[in-house]
């Protein structure tokens, strides 16, 4: 646990008694604060009471007594409307922060020479894989590494500063929004596509929150293949701060000046290779140097994973890991559950768990990585549906539709992709296995392009169900 001693001797309200709220309350108490815990739900309050945390109804509290409100990331801060605790805090002039802000306050209070390195990762898609990959590379290189935030352990529940050389933190837009002093050693922004707009108002608001991670970083690595990230990268560069761009291209020799305005150092991703190019080399001589080859690394298949690897390479080099070690340890990356996870084979058929693909843009990454796909899709649909995936329809042999999105997806696929209405995950896996039984080079891909909440508590439970069903198939074998 990291001790939050910034508020020693004061009263702090903690709202939301899930994973991060519980860890926050314990960290504040350990740091000498008087903590007042609350949750709108009976289940959350019961969880807090069961572990001995003090419950106080914040609706009846004199808010002028508080030094801060620590808000769990999932609670609305501004949109669609501020949560009632936020309104009360603003009315009393009480700062509203998150657990990640407590982390950075405690980290900043350390003597600079003793601070562990901090790498923060965000983006619409790919941040969990990039976070896990960086942690793997650091551990394989002998660094004591803690990983958490929006993945795994809540930040305040991570190992103490004295026991850690580096922290690798996945940060959602919700967490960034609650962290005004966000200043990691390395900030990574992978990409931006529309997501969580109900929480941030519009795309401009969403992008502005994401930009804060790299704006405060000593070094930043930013994808430059969408207009929002490209503008963010150039704004940071023109402010005089060290910035590396990441660019995916089919041809590493082409002029990249139009992509980056010719100013950024680049890691170019082409043909399964990570290539480094300084701006003048990329523009004048079209010369590059190879950083690492990714061919044959099944857990880093696809150009999106190559971008994740490029970001990881930049981050690890920035904190002193040797380039040759990074290239070597990329090959031992085991992958991440629910992110193009290779579950196993039945005959010649590969089963892939990409349950984390909760929108079309994320599903596109998996669909672009395979052919002869038997696609399990559906759940609670998101705005835009699956029409943006039309360029990949020719890769799909058949679709198996589940959940609330069944009829919407069926209408989109009609006359373009064969499909079967399966309703449940079990029916979909059984149907796909029957259609591909002992087939050659077929892929059964769960990449739902939907939220999970119609049938599952979260995408992890959905992926776990898929994995269990696959592993129960006759003749199943692990990779």
């Amino acid at each position: 646990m990291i001790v939050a001693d910034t508020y020693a001797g004061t009263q702090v309200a903690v709202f939301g008694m899930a994973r991060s709220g519980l860890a926050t309350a314990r960290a504040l108490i350990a740091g000498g604060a008087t903590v007042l815990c609350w949750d709108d739900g009976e289940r959350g309050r019961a969880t807090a009471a069961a572990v001995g945390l003090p419950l106080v109804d914040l609706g009846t509290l004199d808010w002028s007594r508080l030094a801060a409100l620590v808000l769990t990331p999932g609670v609305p801060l501004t949109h669609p409307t501020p949560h009632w605790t936020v309104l009360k805090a603003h009315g009393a002039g009480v700062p509203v922060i998150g657990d990640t802000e407590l982390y950075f306050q405690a980290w900043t209070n350390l003597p600079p020479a003793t601070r562990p390195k901090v790498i923060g990762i965000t983006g619409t898609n790919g941040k969990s894989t990039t976070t896990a990959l960086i942690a793997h590379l650091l551990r394989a290189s002998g660094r004591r590494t803690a990983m958490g935030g929006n993945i795994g352990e809540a930040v305040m529940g991570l190992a103490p500063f004295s026991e850690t050389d580096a922290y690798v933190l996945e940060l959602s837009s919700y967490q960034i929004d609650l962290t005004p002093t966000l200043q990691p050693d390395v900030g990574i922004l992978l990409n931006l596509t529309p997501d969580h707009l109900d929480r941030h108002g519009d795309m401009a608001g969403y992008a502005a929150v994401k930009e804060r991670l790299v704006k405060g970083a000593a070094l930043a690595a930013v994808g430059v293949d969408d207009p929002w990230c490209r503008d963010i990268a150039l704004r940071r560069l023109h402010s005089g701060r060290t910035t590396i761009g990441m660019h995916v291209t089919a041809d590493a020799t082409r002029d990249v000046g139009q992509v980056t305005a010719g100013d950024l150092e680049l890691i170019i991703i082409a043909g399964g290779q990570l290539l480094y190019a300084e701006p003048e080399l990329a523009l004048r001589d079209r010369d590059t140097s190879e950083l690492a080859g990714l061919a044959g690394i099944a857990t880093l298949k696809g150009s999106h994973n190559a971008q994740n690897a490029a970001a990881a390479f930049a981050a690890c080099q920035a904190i002193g890991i040797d380039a040759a070690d990074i290239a070597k340890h990329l090959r031992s990356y085991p992958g991440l559950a629910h992110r193009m996870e290779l579950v196993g084979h039945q005959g010649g058929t590969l089963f892939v768990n990409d349950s984390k693909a909760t929108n079309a843009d994320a599903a596109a990454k998996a669909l672009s990585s395979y052919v002869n796909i038997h696609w399990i899709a559906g759940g609670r649909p998101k705005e835009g549906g699956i029409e943006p995936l039309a360029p990949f329809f020719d890769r799909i042999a058949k679709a198996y539709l589940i959940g609330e999105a069944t009829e919407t997806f069926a209408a989109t696929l009609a006359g373009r992709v064969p499909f079967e209405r399966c309703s449940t995950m079990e029916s979909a896996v059984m149907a796909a296995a029957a259609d591909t039984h002992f087939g050659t080079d077929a892929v059964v891909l769960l990449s739902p392009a939907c939220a999970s909440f119609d049938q599952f508590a979260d995408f992890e439970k959905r992926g776990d169900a898929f994995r269990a069903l696959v592993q129960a198939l006759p003749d199943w074998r692990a990779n």
Side-chain angles (χ1 to χ4, degrees), residues 4 20 27 50 61-62 68 96 117 130 151 156 160 170 207 235 294 315 328 335 339 384 403 411 441 446 450 462:
S20 66
L61 187 69
D62 176 5
V96 181
K117 297 296 185 181
T130 303
I151 182 175
M156 300 310 291
E170 178 188 331
R235 276 196 294 274
L294 303 178
K328 178 178 69 174
R339 283 83 167 175
D441 297 328
L446 170 66
C450 282
R462 177 170 63 188

Side-chain angles (χ1 to χ4, degrees), residues 298-299 301 340-353 366 369-376 432-433 436-446 466 470 473 476-479:
T299 52
K301 189 176 179 64
M340 288 178 61
E341 173 192 358
L342 307 181
V343 174
H345 287 80
Q346 186 190 46
T349 300
L350 173 66
F351 290 79
V352 179
N353 170 19
S369 300
Y370 298 99
V371 294
N372 195 16
I373 298 169
H374 292 255
W375 181 34
I376 299 176
T436 63
H437 188 51
F438 293 111
T440 302
D441 297 328
V443 177
V444 175
L445 172 66
L446 170 66
F466 174 79
V470 171
L473 292 172
W476 170 83
R477 70 180 191 278
N479 292 299

Side-chain angles (χ1 to χ4, degrees), residues 70-416:
V70 184
L71 197 66
T72 196
V75 175
L77 180 65
T78 55
H79 294 82
T81 57
H83 189 258
W84 65 265
T85 55
V86 176
L87 295 175
K88 282 187 172 291
H90 288 340
V94 174
V96 181
I97 61 174
D99 61 336
T100 311
E101 173 65 13
L102 287 178
Y103 170 90
F104 275 97
Q105 288 178 2
W107 178 75
T108 302
N109 285 341
L110 296 172
T114 69
R115 289 177 193 158
K117 297 296 185 181
V118 178
I119 301 170
I121 301 97
T122 198
T124 303
N125 295 304
K127 53 187 179 290
S128 293
T129 295
T130 303
T131 302
L133 177 57
I134 292 171
H136 164 76
L137 294 172
L138 292 175
R139 288 166 180 156
S141 299
R143 300 291 182 96
R144 299 176 303 169
T145 302
M147 180 184 78
N150 198 49
I151 182 175
E153 187 71 60
V155 290
M156 300 310 291
L158 293 172
F161 295 129
S162 60
E163 299 176 9
T164 310
D165 298 321
Y167 290 85
V168 188
L169 307 179
E170 178 188 331
L171 299 176
S172 70
S173 58
Y174 298 178
Q175 291 167 307
I176 295 169
D177 217 7
L178 290 163
T179 313
T181 65
L182 185 59
Q183 293 183 319
D185 294 292
V186 181
I188 294 172
L189 174 57
L190 295 164
N191 47 60
L192 285 174
T193 56
D195 202 14
H196 302 305
L197 301 190
D198 56 338
R199 172 67 181 252
H200 300 293
D202 55 22
M203 190 62 192
Y206 175 57
V209 171
K210 291 285 196 180
E211 182 173 4
R212 286 173 46 197
L213 174 66
V214 295
K215 187 175 182 179
L219 177 142
V222 183
V224 295
D225 292 332
D226 67 74
W228 297 97
C229 283
R230 190 179 313 138
D231 288 347
I232 288 169
L234 293 175
R235 276 196 294 274
R236 180 185 156 91
L237 183 77
H238 295 154
S239 71
R241 312 202 71 187
T242 305
T243 308
I244 296 172
M246 298 172 294
H247 168 49
V248 180
T249 179
D251 181 1
T253 65
R254 76 174 191 170
D255 188 337
V256 296
Q258 292 182 348
V259 176
T260 65
D263 295 326
L264 286 167
E265 295 186 26
L266 282 175
I267 296 178
I268 302 172
I269 299 132
Q273 302 287 99
L274 304 185
L275 305 168
Y276 174 75
E278 295 181 358
E280 61 270 20
L281 293 178
L283 292 173
R284 186 183 67 239
D285 299 325
R286 298 184 177 183
D287 191 17
T288 57
S289 57
E290 182 178 337
L291 297 176
L294 303 178
I297 306 178
T299 52
L300 294 174
K301 189 176 179 64
S303 60
H304 63 294
N305 272 325
Q307 186 196 46
N308 298 338
F313 203 107
C316 291
Q317 267 210 308
I319 65 169
I321 305 300
D322 181 74
D325 283 344
I326 300 171
K328 178 178 69 174
H329 297 313
L330 283 170
R331 309 202 73 81
S332 62
Y333 174 57
L336 196 60
H338 315 299
R339 283 83 167 175
M340 288 178 61
E341 173 192 358
L342 307 181
V343 174
H345 287 80
Q346 186 190 46
T349 300
L350 173 66
F351 290 79
V352 179
N353 170 19
D354 193 42
S355 182
K356 181 65 169 62
T358 59
N359 56 47
D361 187 66
K365 308 299 191 298
L367 291 172
S368 70
S369 300
Y370 298 99
V371 294
N372 195 16
I373 298 169
H374 292 255
W375 181 34
I376 299 176
R380 180 160 294 169
K382 291 193 174 181
E383 185 176 351
I386 56 171
E387 183 59 40
L389 298 176
F392 307 105
F393 284 175
D394 62 354
R395 294 170 172 261
I396 301 170
K398 185 175 178 180
Y400 306 82
L401 305 180
I402 63 175
E404 293 176 4
T406 294
E407 293 309 319
T408 302
F409 284 12
T412 303
L413 297 175
R416 305 160 84 180

Side-chain angles (χ1 to χ4, degrees), residues 1-87:
M1 180 179 67
I2 294 170
V3 174
D5 55 7
T6 313
Y7 293 96
T10 70
Q11 291 190 346
V12 178
V14 178
F15 183 86
M17 291 291 105
R19 178 178 64 102
S20 66
L22 297 172
T24 295
R26 294 189 186 101
L28 284 163
I29 291 169
T34 298
V35 177
L36 313 176
C37 299
W38 195 245
D39 195 296
D40 281 337
E42 289 185 10
R43 181 177 179 181
R45 296 196 295 270
T47 300
V51 296
L53 294 176
L55 286 168
V56 175
D57 185 350
L58 300 181
T60 63
L61 187 69
D62 176 5
W63 281 69
S64 66
R65 298 161 45 195
L66 297 180
L69 166 66
V70 184
L71 197 66
T72 196
V75 175
L77 180 65
T78 55
H79 294 82
T81 57
H83 189 258
W84 65 265
T85 55
V86 176
L87 295 175

